[in-house]
Amino acid sequence: ASQTRELWDPTQSQSAFGQSMAAHKKRIAYFYHDEVGNFYYGAGHPMKPHRIRMAHSLILNYGMYKKMEIYRPVLVEDEKMTMFHSDDYVHFLQSVTPDNIGDYTRELQRYNMDVDCPVFDGLFKYCQLYTGGSIGGARKLNQGNADICVNWAGGLHHAKKSEASGFCYINDIVLAILELLTYHHRVLYVDIDIHHGDGVEEAFYNTDRVMTASFHKYGEYFPGTGGVKDIGVNKGKKYSINFPLMDGIDDQSYQSIFKPIMSKIMETFQPGAVVLQCGADSLAGDRLGCFNLSLKGHAACVQYMKSFNVPLMILGGGGYTVRNVARCWANETGVLLDEKLSEEIPYNEYYEYYGPDFNLHITPSNMENHNTKKYMEDTKIELFKCLSSLPKPTIQIKTQMPFVKMETKEETKEGDPDVRISQGEADKMVQDDREFYEDEKDQDKETSMELA
């Protein structure tokens, strides 16, 4: 069997295509592996994969897992990583360990492996897991088996073709976009992390098939790239959009630029799929950040991109105050599901992290917003000029995609004959909104769906 999908026409974004996708409840595929929280960059390092486990715990205890299909990512093979990364770099990541690091002194320098990007136990498996969720999500979108795919472990946007950078080793975003490009003629990448999405921009800097849009802190701040004049080269000229920001930007200011810019991009570029990197270091109070966004202001970007009803991939990214990262991504999972979450955080195994108030939302500080209205307006006008001069996109190509059931290694195993429903089957069960009985093994759900 093969399948094609209706394509989004921006001239009727809130009518024909939007209604066709909005008419049914969004099908959300959620990728999570229980080992991802085990990895440890080292004492004092701000990047803590444990935050993914904390976010997952909130998602479970808010009951949101019942509304999604849950998938365990397949470990990505090295051959797949070399679709973007160089062979020698991937082989190095595969080979180096804390025990043999002394044998790789020259390579450590060559591949930028330093205090920011240390060698730690299980490094390559960590890369395989977070990348597996992003590539797996791209495949599900291509197959038409989900409207939205979520991989909070992904979004490591700084990794380059042949070097690690900014806590990132393998660029799962680039690999996921390459997967999306096998089906979609154009893909949009949007980055709301406080740091510029340099690795993704660099990878697609000279193509018109991928547009990158990054809203980030600029000026004496890592990675130091992403000026408003950086718009791409050759065929990719005007397909890299950067909105450089200064300290203290708040919800109102952020939305005053994000929504108009993204609306113009969707109108002019007309992507077949969107990848949104939701780095939580742009929140108020982040350990490494200097913005002043609330959870609501951050989530408003997710809600807005969801409203276009285009196949959407949601990824994590930065975020170094772990309790707020977990809050943020749990809240945004709720936004994707149209679920209003209780302000009181439910009891969970990391409950003490959220004291003393144990509330979901955070209060922005009274820090000064250094982004003046004139600066924001002038930058917005400059980007509008760039976008207005883009050539009209060609019609989206409908590629005949063979339907391939995506299975994880766990799902391919024989089920336990003494267990009526396997864990893999249970993970893929989505609770019907009319379901009152809490046990996922209840069979009434099937009856109600047959009668619908």
Side-chain angles (χ1 to χ4, degrees):
S2 64
Q3 65 185 51
T4 58
R5 270 207 313 286
E6 185 178 359
L7 300 168
W8 178 64
D9 179 354
T11 64
Q12 41 187 344
S13 60
Q14 300 303 320
S15 53
F17 186 89
Q19 288 175 13
S20 69
M21 277 192 75
H24 66 275
K25 199 168 179 69
K26 292 282 194 297
R27 299 163 301 159
I28 300 181
Y30 171 79
F31 287 79
Y32 176 76
H33 198 291
D34 55 8
E35 289 185 37
V36 76
N38 294 341
F39 299 98
Y40 183 56
Y41 276 64
H45 199 289
M47 178 61 118
K48 301 187 185 302
H50 178 64
R51 67 206 175 121
I52 312 299
R53 181 177 284 157
M54 289 176 61
H56 180 70
S57 181
L58 284 182
I59 289 165
L60 289 179
N61 285 282
Y62 268 113
M64 289 186 279
Y65 72 99
K66 301 174 185 176
K67 310 287 185 180
M68 304 182 285
E69 287 191 353
I70 301 175
Y71 290 88
R72 293 175 183 82
V74 175
L75 294 177
V76 176
E77 299 298 331
D78 55 344
E79 292 88 352
K80 191 70 180 177
M81 294 178 179
T82 58
M83 295 292 289
F84 169 61
H85 293 284
S86 64
D87 292 3
D88 55 351
Y89 174 58
V90 173
H91 179 69
F92 164 74
L93 290 177
Q94 226 176 350
S95 305
V96 70
T97 69
D99 293 332
N100 66 16
I101 195 170
D103 300 333
Y104 292 95
T105 306
R106 184 180 301 175
E107 288 86 352
L108 291 170
Q109 186 172 2
R110 177 182 175 187
Y111 300 127
N112 197 35
M113 302 285 282
D114 55 13
V115 291
D116 277 359
C117 301
V119 175
F120 56 83
D121 283 327
L123 170 60
F124 191 68
K125 187 173 184 181
Y126 171 62
C127 296
Q128 289 179 297
L129 285 178
Y130 75 72
T131 303
S134 300
I135 294 176
R139 287 175 178 162
K140 280 200 79 68
L141 292 177
N142 283 349
Q143 294 160 2
N145 294 332
D147 303 311
I148 300 171
C149 291
V150 181
N151 177 31
W152 293 125
L156 278 72
H157 58 172
H158 294 306
K160 308 297 197 312
K161 181 181 178 69
S162 297
E163 67 176 50
S165 178
F167 316 156
C168 307
Y169 302 89
I170 293 294
N171 199 313
D172 62 292
I173 307 169
V174 171
L175 292 169
I177 291 173
L178 290 175
E179 192 73 32
L180 290 168
L181 287 172
T182 64
Y183 184 86
H184 299 282
H185 192 60
R186 290 182 297 280
V187 175
L188 170 64
Y189 172 68
V190 186
D191 193 314
I192 60 172
D193 193 291
I194 195 172
H195 300 95
H196 178 229
D198 59 332
V200 184
E201 179 185 273
E202 183 179 301
F204 300 109
Y205 206 56
N206 63 354
T207 179
D208 59 0
R209 291 190 63 194
V210 177
M211 178 173 279
T212 61
S214 182
F215 300 79
H216 52 270
K217 160 74 176 169
Y218 185 70
E220 296 185 3
Y221 197 75
F222 183 86
T225 52
V228 71
K229 303 287 187 187
D230 299 331
I231 58 172
V233 295
N234 302 326
K235 284 183 71 176
K237 191 172 184 180
K238 300 182 180 178
Y239 289 89
S240 292
I241 300 299
N242 287 295
F243 204 118
L245 295 164
M246 289 169 272
D247 291 9
I249 191 164
D250 55 27
D251 292 354
Q252 185 177 359
S253 298
Y254 203 93
Q255 292 309 310
S256 74
I257 58 167
F258 184 84
K259 289 183 177 180
I261 294 292
M262 294 319 306
S263 176
K264 186 68 173 176
I265 286 175
M266 294 298 286
E267 175 191 336
T268 55
F269 186 60
Q270 302 175 26
V274 175
V275 178
L276 176 58
Q277 196 264 24
C278 301
D281 46 8
S282 45
L283 291 173
D286 186 79
R287 179 177 169 185
L288 299 185
C290 53
F291 283 178
N292 201 24
L293 298 182
S294 71
L295 260 62
K296 290 178 181 176
H298 199 272
C301 300
V302 177
Q303 179 65 53
Y304 191 66
M305 296 315 299
K306 177 191 168 196
S307 73
F308 290 98
N309 296 310
V310 175
L312 178 63
M313 178 176 293
I314 299 290
L315 302 174
Y320 308 101
T321 301
V322 294
R323 61 185 181 276
N324 291 345
V325 177
R327 284 177 162 116
C328 178
W329 292 344
N331 181 59
E332 287 168 9
T333 304
V335 166
L336 296 170
L337 288 165
D338 296 318
E339 292 280 320
K340 184 169 176 57
L341 304 185
S342 166
E343 175 62 10
E344 185 178 338
I345 286 180
Y347 186 77
N348 64 88
E349 57 191 313
Y350 307 110
Y351 189 68
E352 68 278 4
Y353 279 74
Y354 305 104
D357 55 11
F358 304 99
N359 289 336
L360 176 62
H361 288 276
I362 61 173
T363 304
S365 74
N366 60 355
M367 71 184 297
E368 182 183 354
N369 183 356
H370 291 273
N371 299 275
T372 65
K373 287 185 178 179
K374 183 180 186 307
Y375 169 75
M376 306 273 277
E377 195 62 30
D378 289 349
T379 307
K380 187 164 61 175
I381 289 169
E382 184 168 352
L383 292 177
F384 274 176
K385 286 179 181 176
C386 176
L387 290 166
S388 296
S389 62
L390 281 178
K392 188 174 181 179
T394 55
I395 300 299
Q396 285 273 358
I397 298 171
K398 291 186 177 181
T399 308
Q400 293 289 333
M401 280 282 295
F403 177 80
V404 180
K405 183 179 184 295
M406 189 182 66
E407 296 177 324
T408 68
K409 291 177 181 176
E410 290 87 347
E411 290 167 342
T412 59
K413 292 178 181 176
E414 293 265 343
D416 185 340
D418 295 325
V419 178
R420 187 169 60 170
I421 299 178
S422 71
Q423 184 60 51
E425 290 170 325
D427 284 347
K428 289 188 286 184
M429 293 175 73
V430 179
Q431 179 174 290
D432 190 274
D433 286 340
R434 296 160 291 186
E435 188 68 38
F436 295 103
Y437 186 54
E438 285 294 320
D439 188 350
E440 68 271 14
K441 296 180 173 62
D442 178 40
Q443 300 303 307
D444 291 346
K445 183 192 304 183
E446 295 176 10
T447 305
S448 68
M449 292 179 74
E450 289 167 3
L451 294 174

